Amino acid sequence: MAPRFRDRTDAGRQLAAKLMDYANRPDVLVLALPRGGVPVAFEVAKALNAPLDVFLVRKLGVPGHEELAMGAIATGGVIVRNSEVVDMLRIPDRVIHQVAAAEQRELERRERLYRGDRPPPDVRGKTVILVDDGLATGATMRAAANALREQHPARIVVTVPTAAPETCDEFRDEVDDVV
């Protein structure tokens, strides 16, 4: 089977083609989840003629198996737990808090690195197109969407070039649109 996308740039261009209803609108803001979402979001923002910024999220990896997400933390301190993983592995709250504290420090470091003195974008009343390069469990995207929701955007549109269908289905109840 041939790959669907040559690279993240190509993925972003193909994704942008599905988002053209949002083109040239002054209320639209494209937010990328670093790192993989940035090249995808760049193509989306360029095609839609929309501003681009980053929205930082960190996975909360299970100690000893860090690639397995027990949750995620986003800018603004929003923590989302992956209850299925936490319950199955009986991960105590203190472990989650320890990992979250360490990831919060890394999130703050990256905020300073990416933003310098620039404040995060104001999303209030805007249509936010939240972009990553894909969804697996959806923990980081869920944390980002929940953190953004607290800032009162008009709409949140989760956009990814590739994802598990069941993960997309779960998001349809949490955000305004999934592309």
Side-chain angles (χ1 to χ4, degrees):
M1 175 165 48
R4 269 181 92 173
F5 310 108
R6 287 188 309 277
D7 53 23
R8 286 180 175 95
T9 299
D10 180 46
R13 288 178 183 149
Q14 289 188 45
L15 187 57
K18 296 180 178 194
L19 295 164
M20 293 312 292
D21 287 347
Y22 297 101
N24 300 308
R25 289 180 33 187
D27 67 319
V28 171
L29 171 65
V30 177
L31 293 180
L33 299 186
R35 294 179 315 188
V38 172
V40 178
F42 176 79
E43 296 301 325
V44 169
K46 185 169 65 172
L48 300 183
N49 192 31
L52 170 65
D53 211 317
V54 294
F55 195 81
L56 296 170
V57 181
R58 295 286 298 169
K59 176 172 58 176
L60 301 179
V62 173
H65 303 281
E66 282 73 15
E67 71 287 347
L68 179 59
M70 63 179 167
I73 187 168
T75 296
V78 173
I79 297 175
V80 174
R81 293 180 189 213
N82 182 338
S83 298
E84 189 175 300
V85 170
V86 170
D87 294 346
M88 180 180 65
L89 297 177
R90 297 186 175 124
I91 300 169
D93 284 346
R94 67 174 170 71
V95 171
I96 296 169
H97 293 302
Q98 287 170 345
V99 172
E103 292 300 338
Q104 179 64 38
R105 289 189 296 277
E106 179 60 15
L107 200 63
E108 290 167 1
R109 185 190 74 78
R110 289 184 184 207
E111 280 278 353
R112 289 188 301 276
L113 182 66
Y114 288 135
R115 291 196 179 290
D117 292 334
R118 289 182 312 113
D122 181 8
V123 302
R124 186 178 306 274
K126 298 224 165 134
T127 295
V128 176
I129 299 177
L130 193 55
V131 183
D132 202 358
D133 61 348
L135 290 178
T137 65
T140 54
M141 184 63 82
R142 188 165 283 110
N146 288 346
L148 281 170
R149 183 73 62 210
E150 290 184 5
Q151 297 177 35
H152 307 289
R155 292 177 50 83
I156 298 174
V157 180
V158 167
T159 58
V160 293
T162 185
E166 51 279 353
T167 304
C168 289
D169 290 342
E170 291 170 13
F171 268 100
R172 292 189 200 291
D173 294 333
E174 298 178 34
V175 297
D176 300 294
D177 197 8
V178 178
V179 178

